[in-house]
Amino acid sequence: MNSNTDLKAQLIADFKDAEGKMNGEAKSPIHLVRQQALQTFNQLGFPTIKHEEWKYSNVKNLVNQSFTFNAPSDFSAADVEQMAIPNLDGNILYFINGVYNESLSTIVSPSDEVVILPLAEAIKSHADVIEKYFNQYADSADNAFTAVNTAFAKNGVFIYVPEKKVVEQPIILRFIADARETNVAAQPRNLIVVGKRAEVQVAEAYRSFGENVSFTNAVTEVYVAEEANVHYYKVQNESDQSYNIGTTAVYQEGRSVFTANTVTANGGFVRNNLNIKIDGEYAEANMFGLYIPNGKQHVDNHTAVDHAKPNSNSNELYKGVLKDKSTGVFNGKIYVREDAQKTNAFQSCKNVLISNDATMNTKPQLEIWADDVKCSHGTTTGQLNDDALFYMQARGISKDSARALLMLAFAQEVIDKMEIPAIKEYLEGLIVEKIYQA
């Protein structure tokens, strides 16, 4: 393990070391983007709580640790069995400490239906597409974590769905952090390009195990062409020793539909950024989220929807159940540009605190420059309904069971948005298990 406890210095040194081993790639257009991103990261540095966007999420403990990036692992098929999602079929790709493991992965969709490649391979074989879309939507100019991910962009996946193709099987990206031997870190970079009238389901699933600390800094960019339909899911079930900072940046053309469902079951420190730009008429964006932290877990969801064209719709619902000394953050922004007349944009964040020591910080934001729109935003934070608890107990249900049933019913609205049955059943099991924990 690197003894350097200045993560910024370690990353800059690692970049220069890797760059020194390159041949022709050092002059490629993609690497020029990487170089600029590193300069940006060097200028920005990691955010502190003085940064408004990180006011409630302190990364001090993270950046004062050292990590082995893309560490080797003996993660095996036997380990896969232990972490398998029952009855899950489809294209399942494993990334162990950020590195694609072909032997554990299964790709079943035909290549004329969808192209699924490790990003490093796609940079060589599909350079024209990569150069057109890479780093066009993720904010590497103002976000230090996105900038450093861009600088090291190599590991991850490239998904390309041609026009009018419907990908019948879901694409599941399983990111495993193996921290059994040392502190480990990974920076997956994913690029998803979906052509006109095409349709695909993509899920990112994060797991970590081991006694040491893990850090995942992931960036996913999604281009959704006209009339395309994309379902995107993120499932996080990591250890209390994990740090997971992820950014999903989406660009939508006209009449497209993008639906995101983000569920955080476990994780020591989680920050999810979901940024969507609707740049076409009659497009629709849906964002659903659920987080159920306990112990001292910290979950931060930052969302932003930018309506740039008229006649578009966005619908957002996030729900949180917070226990023990956990903390939650929700910051949701809606922008309606001057030209985006007849926009419909709705945002709601609802939270239940089942401990006097749990904390929830919410900040809904709405900026409108158009005058013919329907927009609303709101947030609520409270405790379980005492009348409902009393009613259930009066009918012979124990207090603990009554509380659990009410929490499950509260969470179910988001879980029901999950359209991959195996993942939906897996999440329901996780939530029930966690809700019933003492």
Side-chain angles (χ1 to χ4, degrees), residues 13 51 99 113 183 226 275 285 288 301 313 328-329 332 344 413 435:
H51 191 298
V99 179
E113 185 177 280
N183 289 359
E226 293 179 10
N275 305 317
F288 306 108
N301 284 289
N313 301 299
V329 181
N344 295 320
E413 185 177 5
I435 284 175

Side-chain angles (χ1 to χ4, degrees), residues 80-155:
V80 169
E81 293 275 335
Q82 297 295 319
M83 294 191 172
I85 297 175
N87 305 314
L88 181 62
D89 296 318
N91 304 282
I92 305 177
L93 286 72
Y94 279 86
F95 297 81
I96 314 302
N97 292 339
V99 179
Y100 176 59
N101 189 312
E102 184 177 2
S103 65
L104 298 177
S105 302
T106 303
I107 297 177
V108 297
S109 294
S111 59
D112 64 340
E113 185 177 280
V114 59
V115 175
I116 306 173
L117 291 172
L119 182 63
E121 183 179 333
I123 288 173
K124 299 175 182 178
S125 63
H126 292 71
D128 54 339
V129 180
I130 299 292
E131 290 170 13
K132 180 178 180 180
Y133 296 103
F134 176 76
N135 202 44
Q136 294 301 304
Y137 314 118
D139 182 13
S140 60
D142 296 316
N143 186 311
F145 287 100
T146 302
V148 73
N149 175 286
T150 303
F152 285 88
K154 180 179 181 182
N155 294 303

Side-chain angles (χ1 to χ4, degrees), residues 1-15 38 41-42 45-47 59-69 144-145 148-149 152 183-187 213-217 243 245:
M1 182 175 65
N2 193 317
S3 61
N4 189 346
T5 56
D6 184 340
L7 185 56
K8 178 183 175 183
Q10 178 190 345
L11 285 162
I12 292 173
D14 287 351
F15 182 90
L38 186 78
F41 169 64
N42 192 22
F46 287 112
V59 297
K60 180 180 178 180
N61 290 336
L62 166 65
V63 303
N64 285 333
Q65 298 190 63
S66 60
F67 297 90
T68 299
F69 282 79
F145 287 100
V148 73
N149 175 286
F152 285 88
N183 289 359
V184 297
Q187 301 199 79
V213 179
S214 67
F215 167 42
T216 301
N217 177 31
Y243 292 85
I245 296 174

Side-chain angles (χ1 to χ4, degrees), residues 291 319-320 322 349-353 360 362 379-382 410:
Y291 40 97
K319 287 190 167 186
L322 292 85
C349 176
K350 301 177 180 180
N351 303 283
V352 174
L353 306 183
M360 185 68 206
T362 61
T379 179
T380 59
T381 300
F410 177 78

Side-chain angles (χ1 to χ4, degrees), residues 176-188:
I176 309 294
D178 181 359
R180 289 176 291 188
E181 299 296 331
T182 186
N183 289 359
V184 297
Q187 301 199 79

